[in-house]
Each structure stands twice: as C-alpha cells, then as structure tokens.
Amino acid sequence: MHASDAPLAPDHGPLAPLAQVDPADMRRQYRAAGLLEAELAADPIQQFTRWFVDAQHAALDEPNAMIVSTVDGSGRPSMRTVLLKGYDERGFVFYTNYDSRKGRDLADNPHIALLFPWHPIARQVIVTGTATRVGRDETAAYFRSRPHGSQLGAWASEQSRPVASREELERRYADLATRYPEGEGVPVPPFWGGFRVAPESVEFWQGRENRLHDRLRFDADPTAPTGWRVERLCP
Ligand SMILES: Cc1cc2nc3c(=O)[nH]c(=O)nc-3n(C[C@H](O)[C@H](O)[C@H](O)COP(=O)(O)O)c2cc1C
C-alpha cells in the first residue's frame, strides 16, 4: 500500500511514517569517546554531578526526569516518571503523595531503582537503593517553594485513586482555591512529602561504537577507602 493510501487514524490525520518503521531496523551509531576508569570521579555523587551538568549543557528536556521503579508487597513491579528535586551524598530526593501506588509500595518494600534516560547524549544512569521519607521540615520547605497552584493540586489529587471525572477533579481544586486564595499559606498535606533514595549502586552507561558500550558501576562497600567499589560491566 502506498503511504498516501494509508488509512486515517481518528483525530490524528494520516498515519505517521514512523508507524511503518520496524523498530528492529532502528539503529544508531554511538560516539567513540567513552567513560574510562581513570577519568571517573571518586564517588558516584561527584560523577553524577558531572553528567548532570553535561545533560543541562546539552539542553536536554527535563534532565531531572527519572523513571522510578518500585515493587509491591507481593513482588509486582511498577514504574513511573518523577522529577529529581535534590541530591547530595545522602541520596536522591523526589516528592510525591505518600498514599499513591509508589508511596504504598515503598511503605511495604523500601527497595527502589531510579533511571535517568539521557538518550540524546547516549547516556543513562541507574541508581538502586532504599527510600526513606525526608523530614517534615525539609518537605515543608520544598512545598512552600512550589507555585500556589501546585500546592493546591497536591491537596486536590488523591494520587493513583480512581476519580469519577475531570470535572470532579476541577471542582475539588476550585473548592481549595476558594479556601486558600493566592497569597494565603497552604498547609502541607500530611499525605504528601519527599523520599530520599540512599544509593547502594550507581551505574554510569555511555554508548560507544559497535555496541561496546561503557558501563561503570559504583557499589557501596564500607571496606573500600572511598566507601565505593567500581566495576566495569560487559555491555
Ligand atoms: C515528566 C514527568 C514528571 C513527573 N513528576 C512527578 C513528580 O515529581 N512527583 C509525582 O508524584 N509524580 C510525578 N509525575 C507523575 C507520575 O509519573 C505518576 O503518574 C504519579 O506519580 C502516580 O504514580 P503511581 O500511581 O505509580 O504512584 C511526573 C510525570 C511526568 C511525565
């Protein structure tokens, strides 16, 4: 069938050519310059900083967006995108609803994985570790830094629960906006706050030519002088 004879997809115009491309034929040659042990920072947080700065200089869209994977009490995994809101030697911080699916998963099982998918610069970083709630003062400080609308949104949304309709959600928001007009302090929802992920391993992946990618992984090791052991993994 000729492309111009392609059936129309409802509301989206003709099928995009991409729909006819076999994903198995999509290949990309990665860059030659790699990640060598000799140039690696002494600890994963410093190394993360270097790559996070590179990601910002490369003008990536939302370089702080990460895939967060959790596992529930019966061993079933789930994932979603969340924004990184801070990090230091204690770990990586994000904010969410504690009663959400991920919040409930973490209450049962604190093991977690984070993945930064920096595809345009052929890099990814994968963190594994355990998540603990950040202190209420830290959560309150971050909550107050958010726009008024986002503060109300946190109250309006019973994250991950079914809601009857879009109108219902907007009605809840409008009620809150009447109760807490702009300029008036919005209390921090007790069901909302941060998680800090203390890293147990951090893998830095750099795409290289011929699929001989670089993978250097830091594993927490209290017996190592830096507290971290580094291993190269086969790609
Ligand atoms: C780019 C992007 C950023 C997001 N950032 C957050 C975030 O910082 N916190 C959050 O709770 N949800 C965030 N979300 C929504 C989550 O992906 C998810 O829908 C929500 O947290 C509910 O997940 P759960 O039902 O698995 O708990 C973001 C989604 C996208 C696409």
Side-chain angles (χ1 to χ4, degrees):
M1 184 173 68
H2 190 269
S4 60
D5 299 324
L8 294 183
D11 303 323
H12 298 295
L15 281 181
L18 187 63
Q20 294 163 17
V21 174
D22 182 348
D25 291 333
M26 296 169 78
R27 285 196 188 81
R28 179 169 157 209
Q29 194 57 262
Y30 292 114
R31 74 181 197 141
L35 178 66
L36 301 176
E37 284 83 344
E39 69 193 25
L40 203 63
D43 73 66
I45 300 302
Q46 286 178 43
Q47 183 62 37
F48 182 83
T49 300
R50 289 182 191 174
W51 276 24
F52 194 47
V53 168
D54 288 348
Q56 288 165 60
H57 286 160
L60 295 197
D61 199 23
E62 301 202 279
N64 61 328
M66 56 189 186
I67 316 292
V68 173
S69 297
T70 55
V71 175
D72 71 13
S74 59
R76 287 182 173 75
S78 61
M79 58 181 106
R80 72 291 288 159
T81 309
V82 167
L83 296 179
L84 178 74
K85 286 296 170 181
Y87 71 92
D88 58 23
E89 62 292 336
R90 294 171 299 163
F92 297 82
V93 174
F94 64 91
Y95 287 88
T96 194
N97 184 313
Y98 289 141
D99 293 333
S100 66
R101 176 173 184 174
K102 73 184 94 48
R104 284 177 275 135
D105 283 2
L106 291 169
D108 288 342
N109 177 354
H111 296 291
I112 188 167
L114 315 174
L115 186 151
F116 294 86
W118 294 330
H119 305 167
I121 54 172
R123 286 177 175 173
Q124 75 180 350
V125 177
I126 301 174
V127 178
T128 66
T130 50
T132 50
R133 293 182 180 195
V134 310
R136 288 315 280 171
D137 289 352
E138 193 175 342
T139 283
Y142 173 66
F143 187 79
R144 287 194 206 101
S145 77
R146 302 179 90 209
H148 181 71
S150 304
Q151 294 181 354
L152 297 180
W155 273 105
S157 167
E158 288 184 76
Q159 197 176 54
S160 316
R161 308 275 182 200
V163 60
S165 62
R166 171 89 209 171
E167 289 69 32
E168 167 67 19
L169 201 55
E170 289 179 0
R171 193 188 53 71
R172 286 188 207 167
Y173 183 93
D175 288 350
L176 286 156
T178 311
R179 200 158 143 205
Y180 302 108
E182 184 93 49
E184 200 153 299
V186 180
V188 185
F191 52 80
W192 189 94
F195 282 106
R196 175 172 281 108
V197 178
E200 286 158 9
S201 75
V202 186
E203 180 193 323
F204 294 87
W205 186 100
Q206 170 69 66
R208 298 286 304 270
E209 282 175 330
N210 303 320
R211 298 300 185 259
L212 295 183
H213 312 303
D214 288 320
R215 298 178 65 191
L216 295 182
R217 190 182 65 201
F218 289 85
D219 286 295
D221 179 355
T223 67
T226 60
W228 297 94
R229 180 168 35 88
V230 175
E231 271 178 330
R232 176 173 286 269
L233 305 176
C234 283

